[in-house]
Amino acid sequence: MLLSLKGIYKWVNTGINRTFLLKDINLDIDEGEFVSVMGPSGSGKSTLLNVMGMLDDFDEGAYHFMGDAVQNLKEKQRAALYKQYIGFVFQAYHLIDELTVYENIETPLLYKGVKTSERKAMVADMLDRFQIVGKKDLFPTQLSGGQQQLVGIARALIGNPKLLLADEPTGNLNSRQGEEIMELFRQLNQEGVTIIQVTHSEKNAEYGSRIIHLLDGHVERR
Amino acid sequence: MQGRMLMADSRKLEKMLKNYLITAWRSILRRKVFSLINITGLAVGIAAGMLIILYVKHERDFDLFHRNADRIFSMGIRMGADGDSLFVSRLRYTDAPVVTEREPSVAGFLRIRKGMEHVMIQDPAHPSVKFSEPGFAFADSNFFDFFSFNLLQGNSREVLQNPLSVVVSEATALKYFGTTDVMGRVLRYNNAYDLLITGVAENAPSNSSIRYDFVASLSSMSAMPELRQLAEKGRFDFLTFFTGRDDRAMPKVERSLAQLRKERDGEADGRFVGIPMQNFRAESGSDVNTVKYLKIFPFVAALILLLAMINYVSLATARAVLRVKEVGIRKVMGAGRSNLALQFFTESFLCIGMAFVLGYVLCAVLQTWLFGVLKINIDSSFIRKPGMLARFGVLFVVLTLLTSVYPSLLLSSFKPAALLYGRIINGGNAGVRRFFTIFQFAVAVLFVLCGIIIQQQIRYIKTADTGIDRDHVVTIPFGKDLSRHSLAFKHEVNSLGSIQKAAIALRPLFGGYDMTGVTPPGTEKITMMPMLEVDQDFISILGLQWKLPPADPLFYKTRQNVLLNEAAVAQLSPGKAPLSQKIAPFVVSGVLKDFNWKSLQYAIQPLIIAVVSDADSNAMWRGDRSVWTGSNGCLFVKIRAGANTALVLNQVKKLYQKYEQDVPFEYHFMDEAYDAMYRAEERLAIILSGFATLAIVIAGLGLLGLITFFAAQRVKEIGIRKVLGASAANIVTLLSVDFVKLVALAILIASPLAWYSMHRWLRNFAYHTEIRWWIFVLVGMGAILIALFTIAAQTFRAARANPAKSLRSEG
């Protein structure tokens, strides 16, 4: 099992009221799965994704990631964990505008401390795989949305993550570009990458092997 | 193994830094305007700071660059009672050798004899190369060993060994020979003696009181009969320096000299006083005020630098709002806090480095111009001296640390989830920013207020009725030859059509005076009093007013008759009818109304005016008085209003040259001589106005940063207000009021500070202007207007923004 959530709660206190963002989430995800998370706005999709990605805390419950109890880890250890095993893809791509395509993809390796020669080979490999070698010296603003998201995915994959978390990866793309990205996800999944994606679109959700519906912070059974 | 890891680590760090530098550089380029404001702002602050450091270091080191400067002191003698004494900063020829022999704590001595009069120097090989030189001195053979002036040619211990040898400065060598390779050449002294050039010295640095063009061996004096007498007569004519073996030598030398004087002259008047080298300038020169204001400048520089730094930090953190996304991405991509802190530190380092280089260049380019405006003399090479560069280096490190640490820590502390999902970052540092703004404006307002009040004082001084009519009055110092024909010269000048009147005096006004001892009625004690020796036209040419005119208009025909000013009457014979009072050896024959014969800094002091008749004046101005008084006399000329000044002066020059060939024609406008007394104050005013402008610009930039920050933070609030029906004007008011409050607070803080410091400063002047309340109102309103103007563009943009955009929900 890759990760398991047991009785996860997350809330914010507003005055005397407590608003629950996540309510009693119980979820096991195995390696090699492709999970789609769906639900209306404000249902807690992104929050759940952030909790799973360890970008955000939760208030109650147990979260085990590859056997480690996340709630018992210190912030630094948690960061070390997600840096090693998780890649993130965002709706708004979130590329660094000051860096070229090549440098954007390279950056995670720099933070990991990968040697120069190895790094070059890895980035070159990734550029080749996504067929964006010709664009490597361009800056993000010079690319189309679809191309930017390709770079975003390449950057997420460069560290060989076990888990890819994607928050509405096609939300800013037109349908053709979106389809291409989803095809790419399916392919990646077949190669062994576990993927959890948040999406609004039924069609995109169908790419997943399992669909989880969220409503008002808890998992809805159908 | 460990070594290899270290290597790998360092290579990793290197690659990382390179990546940071690239990002930093691109981010600077991306926001060109912002970076330009930020870097130039800092650079200007740095340049100002550097200039001040340069100036202060230059002045602090004044005369202290000599080896053992802390143990060098000069000796002088104070004659007369305290209060009205005369200080002669020289000793007799034989004093130093005897004292050095008697006093084991003295390691060495140096005597310098520098006459007040010019000497003629000529290149005998080219007789037309001939100049009248003011900078000629005789000195003991150890001159270049005693003081740390560098010789370009010649050995410091040998150059002045022989009589009739001379060391010239680099500038002098170039002036006479067009080259510095002048060893063995000859210069002729006063058309009589040939001096052999045995050395060439670097020009004395600008922060040396001791300046020289020619230094001849002291032994040369014994080869010149007219000067030999000086040594033999035992006059206090030799500037004498001692080096002590420890810091207790000075009082011992003072005592030893007193003992020596007792042995030789019996119970003679006078007390010997040592002057440590660091005080030499203040004691010997007139630059007392410059030294006094020196303490203010480091404070001003620190404030300006602080302003620039605060501004930089403020803008850098304001920009953080724009960088939060990047921080979030980098964190998600695996950056640790230390990675990010280092990245922003590198960026800061790059910006500050650029600002620093720009600042240095600005400083180097501007120094000549600026010091010219300020009438400060600083060698342009000073900025390149190792001592200066080391100080700038320290400044750089301190600056980088102070300005980089806070933004780096702040930026790297953001939490990624919040950033990436567009949650509003609560500016916990809003309070700090408000404080920054208040501080910046307070300093700007303080500078402006002080600058204005100092300017007002200067205007007050320039327009004050001092009892002297300085307009169109020119003074012309006499050369030695002319002093013998001063009467003839005066009459000839007087007969020129454009000349209203001419008068002779021993000294120009505001340019020194003599002291004389008098015995007031009813006492035995001698009181030392300042005295001016003038002729009968002096009073009318300067428009001096009578309090009690003399009964006999020809009073000056009698030698003992003198005039007093009111202050002198008050001091010498209060309560009595002054006329015909005897104040031995003089008799009072008239009283002049008080006039400011010295700087307005001082209350009017007692003054005796000895009016010398034409008959006496031949004897008066002639002869060797110049050796003792340092003045051959001078002519006061009042030019008719409307006359062509240049033309008149040219006519006077022709007359002058008829009598005087050696000393070149010189003239000084009296109002300029008057203004020159307040040069230090004017300098202060210029520097403060400059800094006030700078402070306003910097404070404005800081405000711009703040409004950008706040407008960005309040986008949502503004959007909501607009949807609810607020007009653009409502929004502008909403945003502006906050800032006006801050600026008003700054004014409230700065005003009493300015009032207090200026009140104290003005007390330095016996005659001064009043601080008026409306200045504060005016400056306050100005500051608020500037603030409103600065934030206008941003507030209008915020007010006119489309609320649909700012209120769009984030996915």
Side-chain angles (χ1 to χ4, degrees), chain A residues 94 98 103 111 155 167, chain B residues 26 30 329-330 333 421:
Chain A
H94 285 338
E98 280 80 18
E103 289 160 348
Y111 288 128
R155 189 182 60 184
D167 192 355
Chain B
R26 288 188 191 144
R30 176 174 291 266
I329 300 167
R330 282 186 182 272
M333 280 172 15
Y421 290 91

Side-chain angles (χ1 to χ4, degrees), chain B residues 521-578:
Chain B
T523 61
E524 300 287 300
K525 219 175 126 255
I526 290 181
T527 308
M528 297 300 286
M529 296 264 288
M531 180 168 81
L532 296 178
E533 286 169 88
V534 302
D535 75 358
Q536 72 275 14
D537 293 319
F538 181 83
I539 290 154
S540 57
I541 204 171
L542 293 180
L544 305 181
Q545 300 292 313
W546 291 107
K547 173 87 175 171
L548 295 170
D552 172 14
L554 296 177
F555 69 96
Y556 50 85
K557 296 285 186 194
T558 312
R559 193 89 216 253
Q560 286 77 25
N561 286 349
V562 293
L563 306 175
L564 300 184
N565 66 355
E566 291 171 276
V569 171
Q571 187 191 341
L572 294 176
S573 56
K576 293 181 193 162

Side-chain angles (χ1 to χ4, degrees), chain B residues 79 81-86 506-507 509-518 526-534 562-569 571-572 583 586 592 595 597-598 602-611:
Chain B
M79 304 200 218
D82 286 338
D84 46 27
S85 58
L86 177 69
L506 184 60
R507 295 171 186 279
L509 209 54
F510 315 127
Y513 50 91
D514 297 292
M515 299 291 286
T516 187
V518 296
I526 290 181
T527 308
M528 297 300 286
M529 296 264 288
M531 180 168 81
L532 296 178
E533 286 169 88
V534 302
V562 293
L563 306 175
L564 300 184
N565 66 355
E566 291 171 276
V569 171
Q571 187 191 341
L572 294 176
I583 48 165
F586 304 116
L592 285 165
F595 60 97
W597 58 279
K598 277 165 112 181
Y602 310 106
I604 294 170
Q605 286 176 306
L607 178 68
I608 297 176
I609 296 179
V611 180

Side-chain angles (χ1 to χ4, degrees), chain A residues 167-180:
Chain A
D167 192 355
E168 300 213 36
T170 62
N172 285 8
L173 303 178
N174 63 34
S175 57
R176 195 182 51 77
Q177 289 169 330
E179 228 165 89
E180 279 171 21

